[in-house]
Amino acid sequence: AGAPFDEEQADLELMAAIVMSWTGFHDGKPGAVCAPCTPENAALTFKNFPVVMEQVHYKFSHRRNFIKGSSPN
């Protein structure tokens, strides 16, 4: 038998994997550059700022954010 399933960790990994890009994530020091958008950095951001993960989860869970309707002609 394997390790027990960790639903919170699985959700964190899924949310981190779907982030495609971001802007403005840096330490705020002068000359700071934006942290690279990687699943590892996203997961770290979500752990430190759960509200950011909540926002990503909200956008991800609403289909209308991904499916565009046809425009009327």
Side-chain angles (χ1 to χ4, degrees), residues 64 66-72:
R64 71 177 179 269
F66 298 95
I67 299 174
K68 304 288 185 196
S70 60
S71 60

Side-chain angles (χ1 to χ4, degrees), residues 15 18-19 25 45-46 49-62 65-66:
M15 293 298 107
I18 66 169
V19 175
F25 283 97
T45 299
F46 296 159
F49 304 98
V51 68
V52 175
M53 184 168 150
E54 290 171 14
Q55 292 170 354
V56 170
H57 191 272
Y58 176 82
K59 289 286 190 182
F60 174 72
S61 63
H62 289 83
N65 291 317
F66 298 95

Side-chain angles (χ1 to χ4, degrees), residues 1-7:
F5 180 73
D6 185 340
E7 187 173 345

